[in-house]
Structures are given as C-alpha cells and as structure tokens.
Amino acid sequence: MKIRAARVIVCCPARNFVTLKIETDEGLTGLGDATLNGRELAVASYLKDHVVPCLVGRDAHQIEDIWQYLYKGAYWRRGPVTMAAIGAVDTALWDLKAKSAGLPLYQLLGGKSRAACMVYGHAQGRDVEETCDAVSDHIEQGYRAIRAQSGIPGIEKAYGIAGAKFYEPAEKGLPGETVWSTERYLDFAPKLFERLRQKFGFEHHLLHDVHHRLTPIEAARLGKALEPCRLFWMEDPTPAENQDAFRLIRRHTVTPLAVGEVFNSIHDARDLIESQLIDYIRMSVTHAGGISHLRKVAALAELYQVRTGCHGATDLSPVCMGAALHFGISVSNFGIQEHMPHAPLTDEVFPHAYTFKRGFMHPGEAPGHGVEIDEELAAKYPYDPAYLPVARLEDGTLWSW
Ligand code: GCO
Ligand code: MG
C-alpha cells in the first residue's frame, strides 16, 4: 500500500483545525489531526513544505519506520510544531492500516481492555452557585466525572469561564490580555470545592485545572487545602518545564496530580513518571507524536501505576478524539478522557463513529479510527486567525495563562 498523495486541509467550522489526509494507491484515505491552537499555520507549513514531499511513494504500512524517519531524519528533534506534524502522519497511517484490515483501530492496538472510556465534562459558572448549577446539569447528562471552574471574586476574566454555554479557549483577533491574582484564587478555590462537596456529596469525581498559574509551594498549599474534598485530580498546578518542581508539591499533598497537555515527547514526562511525581499523564495523540508515541508513554507510565488522562479540549479535532478513544479503550492503564463537546458545525464537518452515553464514550466499530472529513463543507469555512489570551499579574507582570 503506497502513499500516493497527502494533503493539508485548514478549515474553521466554529474554530480552526488542521487536518492531514493521506491517500494510497489502493484508494484508501487516512486522517490525522495537526491542530496547534493559535499556531495552526506553522504546522500546516511544516507538513506541506517539509513532510509531505518525503512521504509520497513510501509504504503506508511502515508506521514505525516512517515515525523514526520523520523524528530522527529531521535532525531537529521534538517541539510542538514538529511533533504535531508527526502525530498527524502517524494517526493517518494507523487509520489506513486499520481500514485496510477492515477493523476498528483498537483491534490493532491489542483489542479492548474495557467496555468504554470514562470521560469528564466541563462545568463552569461566573460564581459558585452558577458552577453548582453547571455541575448539576452534567450529573443529569450522566457524567461520572466533572471538572469545575468558577469565576473568582475580584478577577475579571478567570480561566475556563465563558459567557457562552461552552468555554472556548481561543479568541478571534490578536491575543487578549487578562489579569490574574494568585492571592484571590488561593483564597477562593477551596471554598468552591467545599460547597460542591456539601451540595453533591462524594458520589461523582470532581476535577480542577489550575492552568499552570501557581508556584510549586503555592500549588502544595492548594493541594493540601483541597484534600478533604478528595479531588480526582488537580491539573497543571505549576508549569512543568522543571519536572523537579513536582517533588516539592508531592511532599506536601496527597491530592492526585495530572500534567502534560503541553508536552510533546516522552522526555518531557520521563522524570515525572519514573519518580512517581504525578498520577495522570495528559499528553494527547495530536500533540505527542501520534498513537505510536503515546503508546510508549503509556507503557512507561504503566510501570509506575500512572494512568492516562488525555487532553480533549475543543482545539483537538474530532479526528484526535476518535484516535484517543481507540487508544483509551485498548491501553491497560487508561484513567479518564477529557470531553469538551465540539460545536455542532465542527461535528458536521467531521462525521464520526464515536458516541457518548451516560458519562462514557465508545470509539465505535467503523474500520480505522472512524472519523472522516466533509471537504466540501470544510471549504466553506476558511481559516480565521485566533489566539489564546495572555495573563498578567495585577502589577502588569506577564504570567502563565
Ligand atoms: C484543558 C486545557 C485547555 C487549554 C487549551 C489550550 O484542560 O482542557 O487546559 O482548555 O487551555 O487546550 O489550547
Ligand atoms: Mg488543562
């Protein structure tokens, strides 16, 4: 099965997506997601100008060799742009291999390890009571696990809160600026979760995303304060370039930790996993070099009882979600999958076999990863520049958003 052509499709059905479509001489097509929020065209160019010319004519079955060729062969290793591009090629090749076998992808990954993948939804509100309403709404929809984010008194635009029903991280135009106050947040966050536990008890899993905003000692303090609320996880409590930072947090708290949505290589996570500094690894199929590389991360994590908790925000396309569910249903140390439903228009452009039922998702039984693209419809929604916001402290210091 030879690669005949590969095309990069950039479109904006409700938000921007970069999709790689590989075609073979046997007439099969495979899809991979290469969306890097706010930096989409850099990956599109990397694919179009540097990767696709090297793919044409290769045997589409040689997934591992092509992965190594693109990784080692480029000389310049790692990085979000490179790894998103490699991830898209890898995902498209797994899709093709499964389609040529006539099997759903999970069968090629060792078969099912569970009946379906538990997912968590996003509950958000402008204040505690609105967040309570959103949690209750998610419980009604059947979610077993819910991430809760709330507006914070004294902070105009807190992370994860939207005016609209669904929170969408990227905004049209140049990056917006938001103001952050660690003091106000640390004062407020434990009160939010105390109220949620008081109202809903302990039957449902609650999660929370700190979004890289705290220093290690502040994160330790928050983890400790949240212990009575027994969170499923506290996510990205501090930036993780310095993996050692998590030793300090770990020494002070038993609140489980989840890290890795911005990682792109196993090396970003190695010490965190081997030293058992985290409980969940959040790397995604799209940003971490595809299914092949993510399986290696999961295999390393399995040795240390670290479980997967893949990033699944709306900036990962339905192609990523399809692939993530095949990965999740097959891998032995699956933990949970993030689920931020896409806009109806996004779902229309990317018809898919995966389904949601009472808090669990299933990848479906279609051959491949089960996600396609309606190119004609996609062409009606051209790229529309959008960026993630930046954050500053109250005195103007640039901070982690
Ligand atoms: C999450 C994330 C996202 C990111 C977004 C950036 O946990 O879902 O933190 O909401 O902010 O993916 O592009
Ligand atoms: Mg996050």
Side-chain angles (χ1 to χ4, degrees):
M1 183 167 63
K2 291 245 175 310
I3 298 176
R4 204 178 57 77
R7 268 176 315 113
V8 181
I9 304 156
V10 180
C11 61
C12 187
R15 68 160 359 275
N16 291 312
F17 294 110
V18 179
T19 309
L20 178 72
K21 187 171 195 172
I22 300 184
E23 294 168 24
T24 70
D25 58 356
E26 294 175 11
L28 290 176
T29 59
L31 288 186
D33 175 33
T35 309
L36 186 61
N37 208 3
R39 297 291 184 269
E40 295 85 1
L41 299 185
V43 191
S45 158
Y46 191 81
L47 278 167
K48 258 192 295 209
D49 300 326
H50 304 289
V51 173
V52 168
C54 305
L55 287 180
V56 176
R58 283 178 192 280
D59 179 356
H61 278 305
Q62 300 290 93
I63 300 178
E64 183 64 22
D65 184 66
I66 291 177
W67 197 96
Q68 298 294 341
Y69 180 86
L70 294 174
Y71 183 79
K72 294 179 182 156
Y75 186 64
W76 310 107
R77 296 183 185 212
R78 305 163 61 176
V81 174
T82 310
M83 295 302 276
I86 297 177
V89 174
D90 185 83
T91 307
L93 293 179
W94 276 107
D95 190 25
L96 280 167
K97 194 187 273 294
K99 279 176 176 166
S100 79
L103 291 169
L105 174 55
Y106 70 78
Q107 294 291 14
L108 275 61
L109 305 177
K112 279 197 264 189
S113 289
R114 57 196 52 76
C117 299
M118 179 168 72
V119 297
Y120 70 91
H122 283 205
Q124 44 121 1
R126 281 168 299 184
D127 55 27
V128 174
E129 287 318 307
E130 237 185 61
T131 306
C132 283
D133 293 346
V135 167
S136 139
D137 194 45
H138 278 75
I139 291 174
E140 265 168 47
Q141 290 174 56
Y143 282 98
R144 311 287 317 134
I146 301 149
R147 180 185 105 155
Q149 307 290 143
S150 167
I152 301 160
I155 296 184
E156 205 188 315
K157 257 183 123 187
Y159 161 76
I161 313 305
K165 186 169 174 216
F166 295 117
Y167 164 69
E168 172 54 59
E171 290 166 4
K172 304 282 174 210
L174 292 173
E177 302 225 345
T178 60
V179 178
W180 174 251
S181 159
T182 297
E183 295 75 17
R184 294 180 204 278
Y185 169 71
L186 281 179
D187 189 41
F188 171 78
K191 292 181 195 146
L192 168 68
F193 284 92
E194 274 157 32
R195 172 76 182 123
L196 289 171
R197 283 307 188 200
Q198 181 205 16
K199 183 150 184 179
F200 298 104
F202 284 83
E203 212 177 297
H204 295 85
H205 296 302
L206 291 179
L207 299 78
H208 183 61
D209 193 349
V210 184
H211 223 261
H212 328 266
R213 306 257 170 124
L214 300 178
T215 65
I217 198 69
E218 289 162 353
R221 182 178 134 202
L222 179 61
K224 209 170 184 174
L226 290 172
E227 277 172 16
C229 301
R230 304 206 302 262
L231 258 54
F232 185 90
W233 78 34
M234 174 167 82
E235 176 181 337
D236 287 332
T238 198
E241 288 104 323
N242 172 21
Q243 300 184 32
D244 251 354
F246 284 78
R247 282 182 220 286
L248 190 147
I249 303 174
R250 214 45 163 178
R251 269 204 293 277
H252 292 285
T253 180
V254 294
T255 293
L257 302 172
V259 175
E261 67 179 44
V262 300
F263 292 176
N264 49 71
S265 155
I266 195 166
H267 300 287
D268 296 329
R270 196 159 53 87
D271 189 26
L272 291 174
I273 292 172
E274 287 177 349
S275 302
Q276 303 180 79
L277 303 178
I278 56 171
D279 302 279
Y280 296 90
I281 180 71
R282 287 201 22 85
M283 293 162 73
S284 69
V285 171
T286 299
H287 298 140
I291 290 169
S292 298
H293 196 62
L294 202 56
R295 286 180 90 203
K296 292 177 187 178
V297 173
L300 176 69
E302 185 186 356
L303 301 180
Y304 301 96
Q305 299 191 53
V306 173
R307 288 184 285 173
T308 66
C310 294
H311 188 202
T314 40
D315 44 302
L316 286 314
S317 93
V319 174
C320 177
M321 179 55 96
L325 291 170
H326 284 274
F327 165 79
I329 209 164
S330 66
V331 78
S332 78
N333 53 329
F334 170 81
I336 198 165
Q337 167 68 47
E338 181 176 13
H339 178 226
M340 245 176 118
H342 287 108
L345 185 56
T346 302
D347 283 335
E348 239 186 283
V349 165
F350 294 97
H352 49 76
Y354 61 76
T355 49
F356 170 88
K357 200 170 150 200
R358 311 288 310 157
F360 287 82
M361 287 180 79
H362 193 286
E365 300 295 339
H369 56 46
V371 187
E372 295 299 336
I373 186 166
D374 180 338
E375 285 194 65
E376 228 172 274
L377 189 59
K380 293 193 180 141
Y381 302 98
Y383 177 70
D384 192 2
Y387 284 92
L388 292 170
V390 299
R392 291 185 187 276
L393 298 182
E394 284 166 311
D395 70 357
T397 307
L398 197 86
W399 202 242
S400 308
W401 175 73

